Amino acid sequence: TEDGYQWYYEGRNGWWQYDERTSQDIEEAYKKGEKSCTILVAGYVYVVDFEAMLQQRQNDPSRRRHVKRDLASIPKKGVAGLRIE
Ligand code: V3L
């Protein structure tokens, strides 16, 4: 986002940045003070819960990952599953 923050979801040993469009959608909901928002990832609906700071697949909540909002400059694995070389 323009203030230098991005949204991340948990990987096995590090953080993945959300794709730019999804990160913007999450940021918009977060700034509005909403408790959660839904996103579409590869055909699946996920709920991003800002109180628990978790992402969960809507039809399978056992598929959960921590999420965080942090600076765009932090070390990361990549963006939406595309690894940084
Ligand atoms: N954006 C993109 N892909 C996602 C997202 C998302 N927000 N959430 C889940 N997936 P689950 P390592 C991740 C993918 O939570 O080696 C990474 O992007 C998820 O991809 O059980 O463990 C990597 O591509 C997974 O492939 O619903 O760090 C991959 O895992 C699939 O949806 C490996 O990352 C099921 O995730």
Side-chain angles (χ1 to χ4, degrees):
T1 64
E2 60 201 24
D3 61 1
Y5 282 88
Q6 279 287 348
W7 284 88
Y8 298 90
Y9 61 95
E10 186 181 23
R12 255 174 299 186
N13 45 9
W15 294 91
W16 291 98
Q17 193 174 298
Y18 281 90
D19 73 82
E20 191 59 33
R21 171 68 194 279
T22 303
S23 192
Q24 284 172 8
D25 289 348
I26 296 169
E27 180 74 1
E28 195 177 315
Y30 174 79
K31 287 235 169 100
K32 281 185 189 161
E34 289 168 12
K35 285 187 178 177
S36 66
C37 70
T38 58
I39 58 172
L40 192 62
V41 175
Y44 291 102
V45 176
Y46 289 85
V47 179
V48 176
D49 179 331
F50 299 126
E51 292 179 334
M53 288 299 270
L54 283 177
Q55 162 190 297
Q56 288 179 288
R57 202 187 276 190
Q58 188 163 252
N59 69 3
D60 183 356
S62 72
R63 291 179 174 270
R64 58 168 59 190
R65 295 168 185 269
H66 290 103
V67 303
K68 69 171 180 173
R69 181 179 186 268
D70 206 342
L71 292 171
S73 56
I74 64 159
K76 66 199 77 163
K77 299 191 79 171
V79 180
L82 289 177
R83 281 179 174 280
I84 294 171
E85 294 304 311

